[in-house]
């Protein structure tokens, strides 16, 4: 069975924005991949965007790289077909491994979104600007955050760079029931 992991998305003021459990897919020593199946309970900050919690309506894979300024979430429909992508620009992530049971990242508000038809756009630049006025760490990260935003957007459009390791379609969606070796094999054959 796969190792469970807790994931938390934090705001720069230290508040937790979202939290959920997933499963470590130990497919590389260079990055961490978390599997979150449909029906997973996700907690959101009360009175914002979602109710206090909801159950994931899509499967997802979330990718973390050590010291990266981004994390990428790819969602899949129940049949394993691509649903969407969401790329958070974040403060550099700690050096997580496929044995980490807690992964926490701090969101910098700007995002790259990939639609079901693979069209790509960026969003929340105005939220970043407001946060930069209030939080010095956001203002100090402005140049790097927008460089990363542009870089991720270009790779998302070409499905290159970090996206080259992400399946566009999952042949199976029951990773939580698999052994590490089975899960590795399924992901590798999906590329």
């Amino acid at each position: 069975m796969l190792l469970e992991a807790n994931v938390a998305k934090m705001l720069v003021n230290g508040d937790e924005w979202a939290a959920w459990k997933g499963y470590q897919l130990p497919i590389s020593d260079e990055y961490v991949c978390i599997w979150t199946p449909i029906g997973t309970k996700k907690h959101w900050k009360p009175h914002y965007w979602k109710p206090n919690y909801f159950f994931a309506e899509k499967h997802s894979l979330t990718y973390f790289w050590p010291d990266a300024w981004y994390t990428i979430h790819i969602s899949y429909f129940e049949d394993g077909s691509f649903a969407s992508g969401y790329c958070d620009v974040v403060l550099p992530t700690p050096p997580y491994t496929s044995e980490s049971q807690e992964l926490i990242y701090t969101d910098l508000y700007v995002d790259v979104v990939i639609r079901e038809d693979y069209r790509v756009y960026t969003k929340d630049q105005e939220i970043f600007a407001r946060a930069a006025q209030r939080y010095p760490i956001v203002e100090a990260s402005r140049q790097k955050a927008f460089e990363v935003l542009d870089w991720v957007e270009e790779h998302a459009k070409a499905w290159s760079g970090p996206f080259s390791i992400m399946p566009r379609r999952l042949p199976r969606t029951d990773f939580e029931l698999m052994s590490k070796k089975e899960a590795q094999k399924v992901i590798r054959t999906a590329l």
Side-chain angles (χ1 to χ4, degrees), residues 69-99:
W69 284 74
Y70 59 93
T71 185
I72 300 175
H73 315 271
I74 303 297
S75 296
Y76 302 89
F77 291 113
E78 191 169 1
D79 68 356
S81 61
F82 178 82
S84 63
Y86 197 86
C87 315
D88 288 311
V89 175
V90 301
L91 290 175
T93 57
Y96 295 125
T97 70
S98 291
E99 297 297 318

Side-chain angles (χ1 to χ4, degrees), residues 1 53 74 88 95 99 102 104 109 113 153 160 170 174:
M1 297 298 287
Y53 72 89
I74 303 297
D88 288 311
E99 297 297 318
E102 185 173 65
I104 300 170
Y109 307 105
V113 178
E153 179 185 22
S160 62
L170 296 175
D174 58 347

Side-chain angles (χ1 to χ4, degrees), residues 84-153:
S84 63
Y86 197 86
C87 315
D88 288 311
V89 175
V90 301
L91 290 175
T93 57
Y96 295 125
T97 70
S98 291
E99 297 297 318
S100 297
Q101 292 186 285
E102 185 173 65
L103 295 98
I104 300 170
Y105 65 100
T106 302
D107 189 31
L108 286 174
Y109 307 105
V110 288
D111 308 293
V112 175
V113 178
I114 308 162
R115 294 186 179 183
E116 184 179 354
D117 63 4
Y118 294 98
R119 286 185 295 139
V120 175
Y121 67 96
T122 63
K123 69 184 201 78
D124 293 340
Q125 290 85 341
E126 65 286 343
I127 295 172
F128 182 97
R130 286 195 307 269
Q133 293 173 351
R134 190 166 179 196
Y135 302 105
I137 193 166
V138 177
E139 180 57 42
S141 66
R142 179 185 297 275
Q143 181 177 342
K144 184 65 175 180
F146 281 93
E147 285 174 8
V148 169
L149 184 72
D150 292 343
W151 182 84
V152 172
E153 179 185 22

